[in-house]
């Protein structure tokens, strides 16, 4: 694995700690982001800086992208200073962004005409698991390409699964986002009901977390909600983008998704309310406004 020169494009909440883990493993990593401060932070802990995706491609045999949406990924790969202009035959592009599976498959086909391989490898687990290198990674692409990249993915995550061909990883991430965000909505309904009833939410949480209602979402979000901490590990606007991709894909293939569409509208309302940068656990605020209550520690009476 250490014979591979790694490029990494996109140094946000997720990308920066992933680069740090790669550098700590001994990998040679070259990074790019439109935010030069983020680039310099990564240079500070041992990465090399680059001035464009094209420069990254010239220096790297495996290139990771971790970007906000489909248009960003398209631009980084295909524009005049993009990966496609500098990549050598046999290079692998691993897109870890959460984008449309249709776009992902189109980009894989375009790269293939240049002799460049692509994996779609979106992740789940948010910033905490990016920091400790325990992300779940769902991958779409050719098995031989996956096997080549797997030792690097194992630095970034724990549960790494080749789901199928190009686009399948992106589709699995859409399914993941349905489960996570609908779960947050259900949890929020329950917390607001309990809050309005006047019981101790923290005690209720401990009472139910070991039963069938227990989940990774419950354990990750309830303690933060009780502290009124909505600093983003997974931003509302990013999850709103993911659910928009969910609905567009579902409409294309004829799958009604009533719960997902409702949660998307809730996120839209929170965005209008100026909360787009909050963590998606902040969805509880939508319900709090409807019920005129606040979920916090030691609630003893109606608000």
């Amino acid at each position: 694995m250490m014979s591979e020169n790694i490029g990494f494009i996109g140094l946000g909440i997720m990308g920066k700690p992933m680069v740090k883990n790669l550098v700590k493993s001994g990998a040679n990593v070259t990074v790019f982001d439109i935010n030069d401060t983020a680039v310099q932070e990564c240079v500070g802990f041992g990465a090399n800086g680059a001035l464009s995706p094209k420069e990254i491609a010239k220096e790297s045999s495996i290139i990771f992208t971790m970007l906000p949406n489909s248009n960003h990924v398209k631009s980084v790969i295909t524009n005049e200073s993009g990966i496609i202009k500098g990549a050598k035959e046999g290079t692998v592009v691993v897109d870890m962004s959460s984008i449309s599976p249709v776009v992902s498959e189109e980009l894989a086909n375009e790269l293939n005409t240049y002799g460049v391989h692509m994996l779609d490898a979106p992740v789940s687990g948010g910033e905490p698991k990016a920091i400790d290198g325990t992300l779940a990674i769902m991958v779409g692409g050719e098995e031989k390409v996956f096997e080549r990249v797997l030792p690097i993915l194992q630095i970034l995550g724990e549960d790494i699964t080749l789901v199928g061909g190009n686009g399948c990883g992106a589709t699995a991430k859409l399914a993941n986002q349905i489960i996570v965000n609908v779960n947050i909505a259900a949890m929020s309904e329950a917390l607001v009901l309990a809050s309005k009833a006047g019981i101790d939410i923290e005690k209720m949480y401990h009472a139910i977390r070991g039963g069938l209602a227990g989940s990774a979402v419950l354990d990750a979000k309830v303690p933060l909600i009780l502290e009124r901490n909505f600093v983003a590990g997974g931003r509302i606007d990013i999850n709103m983008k993911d659910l928009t991709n969910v609905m567009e894909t579902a409409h294309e293939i004829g799958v009604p998704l009533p719960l997902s569409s409702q949660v998307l509208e809730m996120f839209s309302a929170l965005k209008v309310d100026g909360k787009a940068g909050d963590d998606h656990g902040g969805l509880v605020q939508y319900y709090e406004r409807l019920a005129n209550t606040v979920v916090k520690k030691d609630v003893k009476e109606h608000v």
Side-chain angles (χ1 to χ4, degrees):
M1 185 275 291
M2 295 309 172
S3 65
E4 304 276 12
N5 290 319
I6 299 172
F8 206 107
I9 301 170
L11 307 174
I13 288 174
M14 300 293 287
K16 197 185 304 175
M18 293 165 79
V19 167
K20 195 167 192 175
N21 285 332
L22 290 170
V23 171
K24 283 168 61 179
S25 77
N28 180 35
V29 186
T30 304
V31 301
F32 173 76
D33 193 283
I34 58 172
N35 179 358
D36 188 58
T37 300
V39 173
Q40 294 310 314
E41 284 184 51
C42 291
V43 170
F45 54 69
N48 308 302
L51 297 176
S52 69
K54 180 179 178 180
E55 184 180 334
I56 288 269
K58 288 181 176 179
E59 299 293 330
S60 309
S61 52
I62 297 177
I63 304 164
F64 290 87
T65 54
M66 176 58 90
L67 298 161
N69 59 46
S70 297
N71 288 336
H72 291 102
V73 178
K74 278 185 181 179
S75 176
V76 157
I77 291 176
T78 65
N79 71 15
E80 285 304 311
S81 60
I83 291 169
I84 215 162
K85 302 298 182 181
K88 302 172 286 293
E89 188 173 345
T91 299
V92 180
V93 175
V94 184
D95 179 38
M96 307 192 86
S97 320
S98 297
I99 68 171
S100 160
V102 174
V103 172
S104 188
E105 194 168 358
E106 287 173 354
L107 289 171
N109 291 336
E110 185 168 357
L111 285 167
N112 190 54
T113 65
Y114 290 81
V116 176
H117 310 291
M118 182 171 172
L119 299 174
D120 47 288
V123 304
S124 181
E127 184 183 14
K129 288 186 177 290
I131 291 170
D132 63 21
T134 59
L135 291 162
I137 307 175
M138 47 220 86
V139 187
E142 294 181 21
E143 186 169 2
K144 64 181 180 181
V145 179
F146 171 73
E147 293 295 337
R148 175 180 165 189
V149 176
L150 181 58
I152 305 172
L153 295 177
Q154 288 170 332
I155 297 166
L156 305 174
E158 281 187 344
D159 298 315
I160 304 159
T161 306
L162 180 63
V163 182
N166 289 113
C168 290
T171 302
K173 179 59 187 288
L174 296 185
N176 178 86
Q177 294 304 79
I178 293 172
I179 293 169
V180 168
N181 287 299
V182 171
N183 196 341
I184 289 174
M187 176 194 73
S188 297
E189 284 195 9
L191 292 177
V192 168
L193 171 68
S195 174
K196 192 77 175 188
I199 73 170
D200 187 314
I201 301 299
E202 193 168 21
K203 288 180 179 177
M204 183 199 76
Y205 162 61
H206 288 293
I208 69 174
R209 66 186 295 263
L212 196 57
S215 69
V217 165
L218 195 75
D219 287 339
K221 301 303 180 184
V222 170
L224 296 177
I225 290 170
L226 290 174
E227 296 292 341
R228 308 307 293 172
N229 179 359
F230 300 122
V231 175
R235 289 170 57 110
I236 282 172
D237 54 2
I238 296 297
N239 282 274
M240 185 176 170
K241 176 265 299 181
D242 289 344
L243 288 185
T244 299
N245 285 335
V246 164
M247 296 310 302
E248 289 175 355
T249 302
H251 291 158
E252 284 180 15
I253 62 177
V255 178
L257 298 175
L259 293 177
S260 297
S261 64
Q262 285 291 100
V263 176
L264 180 56
E265 288 302 309
M266 295 174 197
F267 281 152
S268 180
L270 287 168
K271 182 179 179 181
V272 171
D273 200 30
K275 301 184 186 302
D278 283 6
D279 185 79
H280 53 165
L283 181 62
V284 71
Q285 297 166 102
Y286 175 88
Y287 287 96
E288 288 173 337
R289 173 172 285 192
L290 293 178
N292 189 31
T293 192
V294 176
V295 177
K296 57 186 178 181
K297 288 185 177 181
D298 299 322
V299 173
K300 299 300 183 186
E301 60 185 2
H302 294 186
V303 174

